[in-house]
Amino acid sequence: MVSERGLQVLRAIVKDYVETHEPVGSRSIVDRYSFGVSAATIRNDMALLEDEELITAPHTSSGRVPTDKGYRVFVDHLAQLRPLSVAQRTAIESFLTAPSDLDDLMIRTVRVLTQLTGQVALAQYPSFARAHITHIELVALAPNRMLIVLVTDAGGVSQRMTPLPVDVDETDIALLRARLSALITGQAVSDAAERLQNLVSTTEHQPQDAALSTLAAVVVEELGAFRQERLVMAGAATLARREQDFRGSIHPLLEAIEEQVTLLRLMSEMVTDEHGLAASIGTENAPFGLGEASIVASNYAAPSGMARVGVMGPTRMDYPSNLAAARAVARYLSRMLDEDEAAR
């Protein structure tokens, strides 16, 4: 068990180490913080923290640095998050205002978050697996080439061009649109895909049905993409600038950024607190091959359910500020999606 003063000493060590990147000694704690006790007493507290494996000596220096376990205790005992400045809140609002579509909003989200934190920013797309199709549109680009547009009630939009096996005119397009719309409008994504799959397998391949079968097959593919989890990221270059903060290689992080699947799993499995905030620190990420990194995240609300936005960086990060930035961006993102839903 760690005493209350021991927790205060741990907070001081984490804060100073994050700011200076130098091991923290008892004398500097006494000089910088008003504990009202001697350096000898602080040294005793630090010894107890070291016994609990919350801090460690990186070399023969008398200073100590937090361990991954120490960062975890620090985050778990955060009394409050560091509030964002007026300028930071203004930046979030101005950056996220009036996006052209959901993709634009998600890209803006990670860009502003990486600017606020100096870390790699991550954002899960809202899940469209439970979304419903609200509209399908067919736009002729040529007599035998069609643009298919799908829209869901969760804000998902898909556009796909496809060639047709036969030429079609405006009358044909209207009939094709009506038949597809009758099958999938108002249906959940999974149900719509099943209906179209049945249509593809049962439609007689007469010349007049060839275009319908082709369009239905393409829409099934697009609905499958709606059900896949997606992640958008920004700020990968920050890893190179912070490479000295990592004990080992940053290549596993770069590979995870490139492949995304690992990061999607990790973010989905992180356990949030009562405020919707989560942190996964250092060795806690070893099962995902990311034992050198920490990720902090906040839930945001989308019409189709909860998703997460957060940042990834070295364990030596400013957890209070990064959590506060993730929470502020998440709240604004929730509001933007709610307003978009209300306007539909």
Side-chain angles (χ1 to χ4, degrees), residues 293-315:
S294 286
I295 296 178
V296 301
S298 176
N299 287 345
Y300 73 87
S304 57
M306 288 289 181
R308 288 175 180 165
V309 59
V311 299
M312 175 175 69
T315 55

Side-chain angles (χ1 to χ4, degrees), residues 160-172:
R160 172 88 171 264
M161 288 185 295
T162 185
L164 297 178
V166 295
D167 289 355
V168 295
D169 57 24
E170 287 300 320
T171 300
D172 296 325

Side-chain angles (χ1 to χ4, degrees), residues 194-210:
E194 184 177 348
R195 285 180 165 218
L196 289 174
Q197 196 70 260
N198 292 336
L199 174 69
V200 172
S201 61
T202 59
T203 298
E204 296 181 8
H205 292 285
Q206 301 298 322
Q208 63 267 31
D209 294 325

Side-chain angles (χ1 to χ4, degrees), residues 30 46 69 110 123 126 151 206 235 270 280 289 299-300:
V30 170
M46 292 174 68
K69 183 179 176 182
V110 290
V151 182
Q206 301 298 322
M270 290 170 68
S280 191
N299 287 345
Y300 73 87

Side-chain angles (χ1 to χ4, degrees), residues 226-245:
F226 272 142
R227 287 182 284 178
Q228 294 176 354
E229 291 190 52
R230 295 174 60 193
L231 190 70
V232 61
M233 290 172 280
T238 64
L239 294 177
R241 293 197 294 270
R242 296 178 177 273
E243 190 166 6
Q244 72 279 2
D245 287 339

